[in-house]
Amino acid sequence: MMKLAVFASGSGSNFQALALAAKEERLQAEIALLVCDNSEAYAVKRAEQLNIPVFSFRAREYDNKAAFENEIVEKLKEAGVDLIVLAGYMRLIGPTLLNAFEKQIINIHPSLLPAFPGKNAIGQAWEKGVKITGVTVHFVDEGMDTGPIIAQEAVAVKKTDSLQSLTLAIQAAEHRVYPETIQLLIEKRTLEGSPYNDHQASIN
Ligand code: GRF
C-alpha cells in the first residue's frame, strides 16, 4: 500500500479528512507520518488520537532550511513514505525535499489557482467579490502555490454567504476533493491528456 506523509502547521482538518478516507478505504493508502513545524498545533493532537506517528520540529532550532529538511527526509525514508501531502503546511518547500521527493509532493490550496495564491486565499477572494472560487490540488515546486495543477473544484459564492459560510463551503470541498484526487493519483487516472501527465509516471 502507498504510504503518505501529511505536512501540517495548524488545525489539521484536511489531515483528519485524509485519515478518515484511509480508514474507510476510499483512499487506499496509509498515512505513515504527520510532519508538523509546531508541536502545539491541533493537528498533532488529532494525530495522537488517530494513532498516527508524528515528527514535529522547530525551525529555529536548526541553522537553516536545508538542515531541518534533511532531518525530515531521514524520517520520511525511515517510514517508507512514497508521497508527501501538504495540508496547511505554512512553509515553502526547499531544494532538499524537492530533490529527494521529485514530483512526489502535492498541496491543496483554497482558491482556483492561479488566482489568490499565498496566505488568506479565501479572504482575498471574498474581498475581491468573486462569484466563483474553489479549491486546487497541485504538484509542489519551489514557488508559492505555483506547481502544475492536478484537480480543481469550483465553489459558487452565494448571495447569502458570509466570509464564514464561504470558508465552511470551501473546507467541505477540500475535505472531499483531496482524498478523491490522491486516490485518482494512486490509480494513475488523473492528468490524461494534460501537458503535465509525465508527472503521473512518478507516482508509484
Ligand atoms: C486549508 O485551507 C488548505 O487549503 C490551506 O491551509 C488550510 C489548512 O487547513 N493550504 P487545515 O489545517 O487542514 O484545517
Side-chain angles (χ1 to χ4, degrees), residues 10-15 46 87-89 107-110 122 174-175:
S11 157
S13 71
N14 279 283
F15 162 62
R46 295 191 203 256
Y89 181 66
N107 181 41
I108 190 160
H109 185 76
I122 305 173
E174 288 190 319
H175 297 164

Side-chain angles (χ1 to χ4, degrees), residues 89-140:
Y89 181 66
M90 302 301 281
R91 292 177 186 279
L92 282 177
I93 301 297
T96 307
L97 268 167
L98 285 170
N99 293 336
F101 283 82
E102 207 191 338
K103 296 177 180 171
Q104 290 177 322
I105 311 179
I106 63 173
N107 181 41
I108 190 160
H109 185 76
S111 74
L112 293 177
L113 289 171
F116 311 120
K119 284 190 185 154
N120 189 26
I122 305 173
Q124 291 182 55
W126 177 256
E127 290 299 319
K128 250 320 186 215
V130 299
K131 302 304 174 207
I132 297 176
T133 180
V135 309
T136 302
V137 179
H138 64 93
F139 285 104
V140 171

